[in-house]
Amino acid sequence: MTTSETSGTDDSVLAELTRLRESIDNIDAAVVHMLAERFKCTQQVGHLKAEHDLPPADPAREARQIARLRRLAESAKLDPGFAEKLLNFIIAEVIRHHEQIADTPGAATGNG
């Protein structure tokens, strides 16, 4: 925030804005760390799939996960359409990783 954006704004408003933005920053950091943990797990899934010649994508599982996430979003008062878009984006990245693992010699066993 620049001085021109805040000139004339009450100090208590600025303090509240700063507090809220710090909370948002903390939540963003937590989201990034949670996504990193999720991708660690999906990488393990990718190695297991490659090792056993399973396809990178599992449309039935993906459909169940999307339906589940939409229900969770509704109960959390979050737009289910937004939640579905987010999960579709994540799933596409997971599948891309699984394809890379399957195409990399020795990667399925972690020797690549």
Side-chain angles (χ1 to χ4, degrees):
M1 239 178 333
T2 64
T3 307
S4 63
E5 290 176 312
T6 61
S7 65
T9 304
D10 187 88
D11 286 345
S12 64
V13 172
L14 295 176
E16 180 68 1
L17 185 59
T18 298
R19 185 190 68 77
L20 290 168
R21 286 180 172 168
E22 287 172 354
S23 292
I24 291 167
D25 292 349
N26 289 337
I27 293 166
D28 288 346
V31 167
V32 167
H33 287 284
M34 292 301 295
L35 282 172
E37 285 301 310
R38 188 186 197 286
F39 279 106
K40 285 177 189 175
C41 291
T42 61
Q43 289 286 342
Q44 292 175 358
V45 168
H47 287 284
L48 190 61
K49 284 180 171 185
E51 198 174 315
H52 295 281
D53 296 318
L54 296 170
D58 184 346
R61 160 93 173 143
E62 294 157 21
R64 287 190 308 273
Q65 284 298 96
I66 288 168
R68 178 179 164 270
L69 195 68
R70 286 185 69 90
R71 288 190 304 273
L72 287 170
E74 286 174 9
S75 69
K77 306 288 189 253
L78 179 68
D79 177 10
F82 169 77
E84 183 173 345
K85 287 178 194 173
L86 177 62
L87 188 59
N88 280 326
F89 180 78
I90 292 169
I91 288 170
E93 186 68 6
V94 168
I95 292 170
R96 189 180 70 78
H97 291 172
H98 289 184
E99 290 169 344
Q100 285 178 335
I101 292 167
D103 291 342
T104 305
T109 58
N111 296 325

